[in-house]
Every structure is written in structure tokens, then in C-alpha cells.
Amino acid sequence: MALALSVAPTSSSSSSLLSRNPNPSPNFRTTHLNFGSQRRIYTINPLLRSFKCLQSSSKDVNASPFSISAIASSSQTTELVPHKLQRLVKEFKSLTEPIDRLKWVLHYASLVPPMPESSKTESNRVMGCTARVWLEAALGQDGKMRFWADSDSDVSKGMCSCLIHVLDEASPEEVMELKTEDLAELNVGLLGGERSRVNTWYNVLVSMQKKTRRLVAEREGKVPSFEPFPSLVLTAHGIEAKGSFAQAQAKYLFPEESRVEELVNVLKEKKIGVVAHFYMDPEVQGVLTAAQKHWPHISISDSLIMADSAVTMAKAGCQFITVLGVDFMSENVRAILDQAGFEKVGVYRMSDETIGCSLADAASAPAYLNYLEAASRSPPSLHVVYINTSLETKAFAHELVPTITCTSSNVVQTILQAFAQMPELTVWYGPDSYMGANIVKLFQQMTLMTDEEIANIHPKHSLDSIKSLLPRLHYFQEGTCIVHHLFGHEVVERIKYMYCDAFLTAHLEVPGEMFSLAMEAKKREMGVVGSTQNILDFIKQKVQEAVDRNVDDHLQFVLGTESGMVTSIVAVIRSLLGSSANSKLKVEVVFPVSSDSMTKTSSDSSNSIKVGDVALPVVPGVAGGEGCSIHGGCASCPYMKMNSLSSLLKVCHKLPDLENIYGGFIAERFKRQTPQGKLIADVGCEPILHMRHFQANKVLPEKLVRQVLSCESKR
């Protein structure tokens, strides 16, 4: 597969490409790539419109390098890309039988001349195609694009031939304006409906546009100063780290045996279970991952599974559970263990200081209480609260508005099911504002689907029901995860320029621009949007598919979530590569890095950095001690990094803490009461139990439905 960091042909390489065929003759074009009528349609090329997806609105000479100024003059003529595409679509539609369409594509594949072996390089590979596809591009002196392609599959070669017919000799603007959805009608109707083959259309187009973007910038002398993001490249033979941050990550992938042995011995001796979040420091994760081979009661997962794993460990005889995460996670573990009857099992945090979370803090702010009070005045209402909030927040919220928790992987289905069971419902989601906005955007996209497509997402919904629920779906607009907030415009622009043809992963908490980019990639099976577990499963699936193909390949994944995920990702990839005979496969994990340097903030609250109503004492970045990159902050949570290996070992060695030296590390039970006089621990667990019922039965529990409807009856 193409290495997305590779640069499109430079001026010299462009010249060499053109020298192969500096002035293609009309006969060559007609014989080789003419798919329709022999009559060519010429028209006056309209004045170049603004290069929408590339051009900066700034007039500064140092602004975005992606403008095109004088590549083609308005006096030049060309056969417009839309006309070519419409003719091609008409030809395909005239063939009603899938086998005839397939033969048609294979016929055009036979018209494509073979690409020289010297051009079949890794940098010319198109990522994401089932077959191997190579693409070259050049920007001619006339300001028009030229493309060459080849594949070891005749079907893929035929698809490339179609796209070259549409875009060869087009202006860069025309190439960039073509959207992947414009190709939707070019479904070649392969027997068996192989979706991965159909995606060849889209992936080749994205590669064409990437090469065009770079050639335009090069022609205008405005090549951006973007440097590659740090990355880890994995093969069956080892790991290569690119960039300082990647080198720091790689350092801990192979921990010292003495550290692993020390941890395993104390866990076994004192029957201690460990539940850790994916976002842990790489040193901790490296040791825990190695220790898992010797002690089964270690789990690294997302926040939902942590409490379940703790219960499993308690059932297996663990007397203590150590929690490596933020405080709401240890609260959840303590409460769920109590619910399961394991009150005597001790639960320990990794610090005697508060291990905070910007999202959890946002949900504890007065603004969130005001948001819920508005919800309580609009029955029937359901509060869908993100699991990443404190038990206290869940309890207070549930007494104001009937509440169910959700995760990033089940939130969409939770909301759809709620509206299906209670059609007149109003849903209030919180506290993550980016996730809320992304959920609304997803439902808005569903209004462009057919009833059948919507039913495939949820069988009880249709176009009418989706349109009906949208005005009754609200989200809190002042809550942000400080890690995912870093995936903003600057990071997205670098991804578009350097990694648009890579596999893109994004947590549902990222800002809308990153979300949209990953959703576009998802449509062509080159991306995933969801939870940390969804991201891990996606990477595992794509690597397994490449292993099964058993050809030389380079897969590149952009990690659109907290960088701590890398340890689990590397473990999965190494396992797949180690079990494969394919020694040629390379898998690269890329860490997007923000150039916004982050540091410790002033103790003076008036000067501290705020996210919504929450003042942050420290935020990720080099100056903040995270060592992410010499270029600035990265997606690394400072609160999660308060869970150190030394703290874990100190706590474990001291258990049972008879002298109460580590009393501040205990995850205490909530003994305070709610405004209605109930225990916070009891009320706060109920929204979690509602979610567990939904996960097990695919419907909201009757108890929750009664709570919602009883609030309406009291109005």
C-alpha cells in the first residue's frame, strides 16, 4: 500500500513522466481511454472558481499554500468532468445485468497499457484496495493533470481506467471538486456484491486528489512546512519509531523483565486484580501487558468494561482491586462491586490527590445542573449521560430527570431505541459537546437515507421518525474532553494534506471537522468513528485482512484518540504479524500532534486555562511534562498519567494497608445522600444498571420507561 508520507512527483519526476508521452496524440486518447461516443464535447472552460477545499481565505502571502492561481487560463477548452462522468454512468446503467457490467469493466482494463515495474513502488500504492493498485500523476505545463494507473486485478484496473477517462487532462480544480459520492452510481455490479471492490472507485479518487494537491502546491512554490506526525512502523521483524514521541512510546513496549516479575509476584501473593484504562502511560501499559501472560487478573479496557472486569476478578478470589484511571472509574468499580455483593473487596486508586477529568468536571458545574433543570420542565424527557461522569453526577441527575448512561459505542442505538419506545420523548444528552454535535450530525445524515437504509440501522425507525426526533434531541454545549479537543483544524489540515488516503480512526468525542473527515473515510471502509474498543477492533480487522491477502502491503492508521491506545494496538498488530508467514507486511500507527504547546497553568484561577467552566491545572504537551513532540502538545491526558507504575507497586506492596498509610488512595463509598434522602451510591448505580439492561436485551427497561412517563403525568 502507498506510504502516505511519500511525496508526489517533483518537477523533475513530473518531467520524466511527461517524457514518456509528452504530447499524447488524439488517437492514443481515443483508442486507449475513450469509453463512449467518438464525438468529443468541447466547451469554454469557466473562470476558475475558488479552490474550495484547499484555498485559504487569507490574503497574507504566508497563508495556506493550497491556492491555485494561474494553472490554466479561461481561454483553454476542455471536456468538462461532469459531462464525462454522466456519459460513463449512462453507459453503465444501460447494462442491466451485473455480468455485462463486469465484462464492460474488464474490456476497459484491457485498454490500459502496463505500468513500468519501476513505477510500481510503495509510494505509488493506493491504500485500502483489495487488490494492489498503483497510481502516478503529473501536472503538465498546460496546467492539466495526467494520470497513469495499473493493478494486479483486471477489475481494479478497469475501474482505474474509468477514473482516468474522467479526470485525465482535467484542471486541478476539477479533480479536487469531484466527490466520492459523485461516483456512487458507478457500481460495477460485481457478482456477489463485493463492497471492498466497489471502494476502489473511492480510494483511487482520494489518491488522485492527494497527488494533485501536492503537485499544485509544488508548482506554485507553496509546499507547506508540515512535518510528518510521529509514528510506529511494525513488521514481522520488529518496530521502527519515527519521531521523538514515537521513540518514547517504543521504549516501553519491551519492559524490563525485573519490573514485570516484581509486579506479577506481588499480585499473585496478595491476590490483587488490576483494571486499567486504555489511556494509561506507556510505561505502565507495557509492564501490564507483559504481566498479563503470568497473571490473568489484569484487564486493560475502556471505562465500561473496567467495572465488569473487577467483578469477574472478585468472583475469582481477588481480595483487592487496583484501578488505573480517573476518579469516576474507581467510583464506578467500587459501586458495582457493592451491587454485586463484594463489599469486602478493597478498591484502590493510584494517588491521594484528585485524579480529575474535564468531562466529569463539566458535568459537575452549575451550567450542567441548569441544563438538567430545563430538561425536568419538559416531560417526557430522558437524560442520556456519558459514562465518563462521576457517580454523584449520575445520582443527582437521575433524581431530576430519568437517566440512563451510555458509551461512545452504544449512544446512537440508545437514543434511537428511546425514541422508538417513547415516540413523544425529548432526549437530553451530555456532557460532551463534540459528541453531542456529532450525534446530531449523524441523525441529520440519516435524513438523506431511504427507509430501508434507516431500518438497517434501527428497525423501528424510518425517514419520517428521524425527521421527527431531531428537534427533540438536545445536547449540552459546554463540556469538552481536553484530549480530543486537540484534534482541531490545524491537525485536520495536516491529515488532509499528508494522510487523506490512510485509514482514519476517530473517537466520537473529537471535534466536528475531524469527525467529518473520519466519517467520509468510513463510507469507503477506510475509517472508523466510535469508542476506543471500536478503534482497536477496526485496526485488528484491517490488519487481519492484509495478512490473509499475503502480499506486500503498507497499512497506515491515523490514531484519532488518546495516544495511550498505542500499547494495546501494538500488542494486537504484533500478534497478527507474528502468526503470519507474510514477512512483507508493514503496519504504521500515526500519532496526530497539535502544534499548540501546552504547559502547566497558573495557580491563580484568573490566569488558568479553562475548558467550559472547568479550570485546568495542567494540560498535555512537552512543557507539561508529557514529552509528546518538539512541535507541541499531543493527544495525551495528564490526568490519566497520574497513574504511575511506581504508585501501583507501592500500593500493592503495602496491601493490606493495616496502618492506613495509603488511606487517601482508597476509593471510598459515597455515604452522602441525594436531595431526596437516598444514598448517592444506590441512585448513581441505577442509570448504569439501566444501560446494562439495554445492552443485554436491546430495549430500555420498563422501570426506566415508567420513570419517564410518570414524570410527564406529574406535569
Side-chain angles (χ1 to χ4, degrees):
M1 289 296 174
L3 179 63
L5 299 182
S6 63
V7 181
T10 60
S11 297
S12 59
S13 61
S14 299
S15 299
S16 66
L17 283 170
L18 289 172
S19 67
R20 271 205 323 251
N21 189 18
N23 295 298
S25 68
N27 288 336
F28 175 82
R29 287 196 301 272
T30 301
T31 301
H32 178 183
L33 292 174
N34 186 19
F35 286 71
S37 159
Q38 297 297 315
R39 183 175 69 88
R40 297 181 62 83
I41 301 174
Y42 290 89
T43 183
I44 299 297
N45 187 30
L47 290 173
L48 292 175
R49 298 179 295 278
S50 62
F51 208 170
K52 297 177 183 176
C53 57
L54 300 178
Q55 192 172 35
S56 169
S57 58
S58 172
K59 302 300 182 183
D60 191 282
V61 293
N62 295 318
S64 168
F66 305 136
S67 63
I68 62 171
S69 54
I71 293 176
S73 69
S74 60
S75 63
Q76 292 175 310
T77 60
T78 183
E79 186 177 358
L80 293 177
V81 167
H83 290 178
K84 289 183 178 181
L85 184 58
Q86 289 168 12
R87 271 204 336 231
L88 193 61
V89 168
K90 185 176 180 180
E91 290 175 7
F92 275 122
K93 284 187 172 181
S94 70
L95 303 170
T96 57
E97 295 298 324
I99 189 63
D100 291 332
R101 288 186 172 188
L102 181 57
K103 289 178 179 178
W104 194 250
V105 171
L106 294 176
H107 168 68
Y108 289 120
S110 67
L111 302 178
V112 177
M115 181 180 281
E117 288 300 318
S118 60
S119 296
K120 294 182 179 180
T121 62
E122 186 177 277
S123 62
N124 284 332
R125 282 285 294 276
V126 177
M127 220 176 284
C129 298
T130 301
R132 291 187 296 175
V133 177
W134 297 270
L135 175 74
E136 279 190 300
L139 179 58
Q141 294 301 317
D142 58 355
K144 302 302 178 70
M145 292 301 304
R146 304 291 191 277
F147 296 103
W148 297 266
D150 204 347
S151 174
D152 56 9
S153 160
D154 286 339
V155 173
S156 297
K157 188 185 298 185
M159 292 176 167
C160 292
S161 186
C162 292
L163 288 173
I164 290 175
H165 164 69
V166 173
L167 294 174
D168 200 54
E169 296 193 15
S171 69
E173 180 190 34
E174 290 173 312
V175 174
M176 297 306 302
E177 284 186 340
L178 192 64
K179 302 291 189 291
T180 53
E181 51 263 35
D182 296 334
L183 306 177
E185 293 184 283
L186 288 177
N187 185 339
V188 298
L190 289 177
L191 298 177
E194 296 179 50
R195 174 68 187 172
S196 57
R197 289 286 191 186
V198 174
N199 285 329
T200 299
W201 294 117
Y202 311 134
N203 295 330
V204 173
L205 174 61
V206 169
S207 290
M208 285 178 157
Q209 292 175 332
K210 177 181 178 180
K211 289 180 180 290
T212 298
R213 185 184 291 115
R214 291 192 170 195
L215 289 167
V216 168
E218 181 184 285
R219 171 67 61 86
E220 295 196 338
K222 297 180 180 179
V223 178
S225 58
F226 294 151
E227 295 205 14
F229 287 135
S231 66
L232 290 174
V233 181
L234 293 87
T235 68
H237 307 294
I239 299 176
E240 177 189 359
K242 297 181 177 181
S244 58
F245 175 61
Q247 291 167 3
Q249 294 279 356
K251 175 182 177 182
Y252 296 112
L253 293 174
F254 306 97
E256 295 179 13
E257 284 298 326
S258 59
R259 303 286 273 176
V260 177
E261 185 178 356
E262 179 186 2
L263 179 62
V264 170
N265 288 341
V266 70
L267 295 179
K268 286 183 176 180
E269 176 190 351
K270 303 189 176 184
K271 297 181 180 179
I272 302 171
V274 181
V275 292
H277 195 272
F278 280 129
Y279 293 169
M280 285 301 98
D281 184 272
E283 180 184 20
V284 178
Q285 288 211 51
V287 171
L288 289 178
T289 301
Q292 281 177 317
K293 301 173 184 177
H294 309 286
W295 180 242
H297 307 305
I298 297 174
S299 174
I300 304 172
S301 66
D302 59 20
S303 55
L304 174 65
I305 298 175
M306 290 172 71
D308 292 339
S309 299
V311 172
T312 300
M313 294 172 189
K315 289 179 179 178
C318 288
Q319 298 178 7
F320 305 97
I321 303 295
T322 50
V323 181
L324 282 73
V326 294
D327 283 344
F328 74 78
M329 296 174 182
S330 56
E331 291 172 5
N332 286 347
V333 168
R334 175 72 277 166
I336 295 300
L337 281 173
D338 289 348
Q339 290 281 333
F342 294 102
E343 296 91 345
K344 293 183 179 180
V345 173
V347 178
Y348 283 81
R349 305 159 55 244
M350 292 300 105
S351 175
D352 57 0
E353 299 179 8
T354 298
I355 307 178
C357 168
S358 60
L359 275 181
D361 292 346
S364 301
Y368 201 72
L369 184 63
N370 295 336
Y371 172 72
L372 292 180
E373 286 177 344
S376 69
R377 295 192 295 269
S378 304
S381 284
L382 174 68
H383 174 218
V384 179
V385 65
Y386 196 24
I387 191 73
N388 293 6
T389 48
S390 71
L391 206 63
E392 187 175 50
T393 291
K394 296 179 179 74
F396 288 2
H398 194 36
E399 287 199 338
L400 268 176
V401 186
T403 298
I404 183 172
T405 60
C406 70
T407 69
S408 48
S409 59
N410 67 22
V411 60
V412 171
Q413 288 297 323
T414 300
I415 293 173
L416 287 174
Q417 182 59 33
F419 278 116
Q421 288 184 238
M422 296 172 279
E424 302 304 316
L425 184 68
T426 298
V427 169
W428 305 75
Y429 167 80
D432 192 302
S433 57
Y434 287 138
M435 186 184 294
N438 293 339
I439 292 167
V440 170
K441 189 178 296 183
L442 278 172
F443 288 149
Q444 289 171 340
Q445 291 177 358
M446 288 177 69
T447 63
L448 304 177
M449 297 179 180
T450 64
D451 284 343
E452 183 179 1
E453 290 170 332
I454 293 172
N456 287 333
I457 298 173
H458 194 288
K460 297 296 184 181
H461 281 283
S462 64
L463 178 60
D464 288 341
S465 68
I466 297 299
K467 288 181 177 179
S468 174
L469 69 82
L470 270 169
R472 291 178 284 115
L473 174 59
H474 305 276
Y475 66 92
F476 185 62
Q477 300 190 24
E478 298 177 49
T480 307
C481 167
I482 59 172
V483 171
H484 294 103
H485 178 70
L486 293 176
F487 292 92
H489 178 74
E490 184 263 345
V491 168
V492 168
E493 285 302 302
R494 289 175 68 179
I495 292 174
K496 284 180 180 179
Y497 186 77
M498 303 182 76
Y499 303 95
C500 63
D501 56 346
F503 292 100
L504 303 182
T505 72
H507 197 279
L508 202 53
E509 295 177 23
V510 298
E513 197 171 1
M514 180 69 180
F515 169 81
S516 297
L517 200 64
M519 282 297 294
E520 188 280 329
K522 184 176 184 293
K523 291 178 183 177
R524 50 192 173 90
E525 298 186 359
M526 290 290 292
V528 63
V529 177
S531 67
T532 48
Q533 188 63 51
N534 294 148
I535 291 172
L536 185 62
D537 291 343
F538 173 79
I539 294 174
K540 182 178 180 180
Q541 174 195 344
K542 293 302 179 183
V543 174
Q544 183 65 64
E545 290 173 358
V547 166
D548 293 341
R549 285 197 296 270
N550 196 28
V551 295
D552 63 304
D553 224 336
H554 185 125
L555 309 186
Q556 194 174 51
F557 296 93
V558 176
L559 185 60
T561 188
E562 218 273 7
S563 57
M565 275 291 294
V566 69
T567 307
S568 296
I569 291 172
V570 168
V572 166
I573 294 173
R574 288 183 64 203
S575 174
L576 293 173
L577 294 181
S579 62
S580 168
N582 182 3
S583 60
K584 300 178 181 179
L585 184 62
K586 290 197 292 187
V587 183
E588 185 173 9
V589 182
V590 178
F591 308 95
V593 175
S594 169
S595 62
D596 297 327
S597 183
M598 302 292 180
T599 184
K600 290 183 178 180
T601 63
S602 170
S603 57
D604 179 1
S605 60
S606 63
N607 295 323
S608 61
I609 293 177
K610 288 189 175 183
V611 177
D613 291 336
V614 183
L616 303 176
V618 62
V619 288
V622 176
E626 297 307 319
C628 187
S629 165
I630 60 172
H631 300 292
C634 74
S636 182
C637 177
Y639 301 119
M640 286 289 191
K641 303 310 180 280
M642 292 173 69
N643 296 267
S644 67
L645 180 61
S646 60
S647 292
L648 175 61
L649 288 169
K650 282 193 297 186
V651 170
C652 289
H653 280 301
K654 195 62 182 177
L655 293 178
D657 185 18
L658 301 178
E659 300 173 6
N660 199 32
I661 295 175
Y662 289 101
F665 289 66
I666 297 174
E668 296 282 3
R669 293 178 175 87
F670 278 97
K671 297 179 181 178
R672 291 192 300 112
Q673 295 182 334
T674 67
Q676 295 183 12
K678 299 178 182 179
L679 287 176
I680 286 175
D682 292 338
V683 182
C685 275
E686 193 166 315
I688 301 174
L689 297 177
H690 287 333
M691 180 184 70
R692 293 184 186 281
H693 182 282
F694 168 66
Q695 287 184 296
N697 302 285
K698 307 305 179 187
V699 295
L700 302 190
E702 284 299 321
K703 181 179 181 180
L704 177 60
V705 173
R706 287 196 302 271
Q707 289 170 340
V708 171
L709 297 181
S710 65
C711 288
E712 181 184 25
S713 65
K714 294 176 184 178
R715 181 168 52 176

